[in-house]
């Protein structure tokens, strides 16, 4: 079995590459310039060249604020390209596992979102990701698994945990929004969740598996509490521990509007694929230990 993963250096792609070590499938990672989501010909050419059995669609335009300034590019990459991937998959009899986001929800209320709840993205990024979901469902109705994840952190790339560590280098106090709630999700858990989907598809490519699922960390919290949890673990490893001051969204103006309630209910994924994400605190500890080791090696 061959699995083509879009993106190579992204948080999810890198974590998947590590989690897939020792597995029997062949994994192929494609990235720019040979594979460019903004260029449909390169998408179709890569799929035809590698002829995968499963496509993991992990590459995306993820700069939430910048997307407000380049909506057309964000829509091309996040909204249209996934439909091309899904179309190529369906033509070849392959499945597509496509990553989406909590930012497709409108953010009202306090109850964790279930998959069938109405969407209502408030940002260009969220709108473009929702457009991508719809394109995938339409092009590969019986052979897609869409995974809505959230607040991804890892030792790699750009993420809130790394931003916090970076800011802590120069500041003793950080002001962080405390009125947006969501489920921080370790990229390593997403990788394991994707492999659980792969196992189910391999065992029986039953079209009843097809659908949209939330796959997020087990605990919901606000960004300020997430920051405090990061610094508590970091301090235990000898790192800095700045004070985190709760602020409201209006006190931290950003170009994009983010949902106040981004909590995700992950029970459907656990029931269908038999995988549950692991506790946030221990994952933060793993990520911080890894960052410290790689910093020490430099
Ligand atoms: N990060 C998060 O907090 C969340 C992410 N998600 C979704 O999960 C998925 C994975 O996210 P994550 O791993 O964090 O993403 P990253 O931002 O870490 O990585 C994104 C990847 O996409 C690639 N990419 C961007 N534009 C293009 C393009 N035009 N053509 C080809 N590749 C491109 C980047 O390549 P390059 O290295 O060349 O720039 C990079 O490898 C995405 O679908 C995202 O929307 C969902 C919820 C939360
Ligand atoms: C750096 C910083 C951010 N914030 C706020 C801004 C924002 O509301 C929140 C998080 O900011 P970030 O820019 O790190 O996160 P953001 O880019 O919004 O993260 C999102 O990325 C996309 C790709 C997703 O799909 C989402 O699930 C989510 O993970 O923290 C502070 O309050 N203080 C700070 O010092
Ligand atoms: Mg960001």
């Amino acid at each position: 079995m061959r699995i083509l993963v879009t993106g190579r250096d992204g948080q999810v792609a890198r974590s998947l590459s590590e989690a897939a070590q020792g597995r029997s499938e062949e994994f192929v990672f494609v990235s720019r310039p040979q594979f460019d989501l903004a260029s449909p010909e390169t998408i179709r050419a890569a799929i035809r060249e590698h002829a995968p059995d499963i496509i993991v669609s992990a590459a995306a335009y993820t700069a939430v604020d910048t997307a407000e300034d380049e909506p057309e590019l964000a829509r091309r990459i996040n909204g249209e390209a996934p439909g091309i991937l899904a179309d190529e998959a369906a033509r070849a009899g392959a499945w597509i596992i496509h990553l989406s986001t909590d930012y497709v929800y409108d953010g009202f209320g306090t109850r964790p979102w279930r998959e069938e709840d109405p969407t209502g993205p408030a940002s260009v990024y969220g709108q473009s990701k929702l457009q991508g979901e719809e394109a995938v469902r339409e092009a590969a109705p019986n052979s897609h698994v869409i995974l809505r994840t959230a607040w991804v952190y890892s030792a790699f790339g750009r993420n809130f945990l790394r931003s916090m560590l970076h800011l802590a280098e120069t500041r003793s106090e950080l002001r962080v929004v405390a009125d947006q709630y969501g489920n921080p999700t370790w990229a390593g858990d997403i990788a394991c969740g994707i492999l659980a989907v792969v196992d189910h598809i391999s065992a029986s490519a039953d079209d009843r598996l097809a659908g949209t699922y939330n796959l997020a960390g087990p605990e919901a919290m606000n960004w300020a509490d997430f920051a405090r949890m990061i610094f508590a673990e970091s301090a235990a490893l000898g790192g800095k521990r700045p004070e985190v001051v709760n602020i409201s969204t209006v006190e931290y103006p950003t170009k994009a509007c983010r949902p106040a309630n981004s909590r995700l209910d992950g029970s459907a994924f656990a029931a269908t694929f038999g995988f549950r994400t692991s506790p946030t605190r221990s994952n933060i500890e793993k990520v911080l230990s890894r960052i410290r080791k790689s910093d020490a090696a430099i």
Side-chain angles (χ1 to χ4, degrees):
M1 165 156 315
R2 187 175 299 137
I3 301 178
L4 180 137
V5 184
T6 70
R8 188 193 54 218
D9 303 320
Q11 300 188 75
V12 170
R14 282 186 69 170
S15 303
L16 186 55
S17 155
E18 292 188 352
Q21 294 295 320
R23 285 185 58 106
S24 59
E25 302 93 352
E26 178 192 354
F27 282 79
V28 179
F29 295 83
V30 291
S31 60
R32 291 185 277 192
Q34 293 80 10
F35 174 90
D36 186 347
L37 289 168
S39 154
E41 319 80 71
T42 69
I43 302 175
R44 295 199 189 272
I47 307 301
R48 289 178 190 180
E49 180 190 342
H50 297 291
D53 302 289
I54 299 177
I55 296 169
V56 177
S57 167
Y61 184 116
T62 54
V64 176
D65 289 314
T66 317
E68 299 294 317
D69 292 329
E70 22 184 53
E72 274 153 34
L73 183 61
R75 285 191 187 113
R76 193 141 34 108
I77 293 174
N78 291 346
E80 292 167 21
I84 301 170
L85 278 170
D87 178 58
E88 286 293 325
R91 283 170 194 272
W95 277 65
I96 179 165
I97 302 171
H98 177 68
L99 273 294
S100 190
T101 175
D102 55 331
Y103 283 17
V104 298
Y105 295 108
D106 63 20
F108 291 104
T110 54
R111 179 173 67 68
W113 297 106
R114 289 193 287 260
E115 292 80 351
E116 63 276 16
D117 287 332
T119 50
S123 61
V124 167
Y125 167 75
Q127 286 156 9
S128 70
K129 292 294 291 184
L130 182 60
Q131 185 188 345
E133 288 189 4
E134 285 160 355
V136 167
R137 280 184 213 111
E138 190 179 321
N142 303 314
S143 55
H144 72 269
V145 171
I146 293 171
L147 301 176
R148 288 183 182 147
T149 190
W151 296 26
V152 179
Y153 62 95
S154 68
F156 322 118
R158 275 169 203 270
N159 60 65
F160 182 81
L161 179 148
R162 298 213 343 154
S163 303
M164 289 298 112
L165 295 184
H166 183 69
L167 291 170
E169 288 300 318
T170 54
R171 301 203 207 153
S172 57
E173 182 187 289
L174 296 179
R175 293 159 55 78
V176 183
V177 298
D179 54 0
Q180 294 169 23
Y181 286 79
N183 299 57
T185 310
W186 179 43
D189 267 347
I190 301 173
C192 290
I194 291 171
L195 293 175
V197 177
V198 166
D199 288 339
H200 277 72
I201 295 171
S202 308
S204 89
D206 186 333
D207 61 15
R208 281 172 300 180
L209 293 174
T212 301
Y213 302 88
N214 296 331
L215 173 60
E219 294 135 78
M221 61 188 81
N222 63 50
W223 289 108
D225 286 337
F226 184 29
R228 277 188 276 268
M229 201 181 264
I230 292 165
F231 291 127
E233 292 306 309
S234 179
L237 294 168
K240 297 213 166 87
R241 188 174 191 166
E243 179 164 1
V244 174
V245 176
N246 284 352
I247 57 169
S248 61
T249 297
V250 290
E251 294 175 273
Y252 196 90
T254 52
K255 279 198 168 152
C257 180
R258 288 159 171 81
N261 174 28
S262 250
R263 299 171 182 89
L264 295 183
D265 179 336
S267 49
F269 186 87
T272 307
F273 297 104
F275 172 80
R276 275 183 199 283
T277 52
S278 43
T280 313
R281 192 177 291 281
S282 63
N283 289 332
I284 290 174
E285 206 265 346
K286 270 185 260 182
V287 169
L288 292 173
S289 305
R290 174 143 185 195
I291 292 172
R292 291 181 78 82
K293 269 190 215 127
S294 55
D295 286 352
I298 294 167

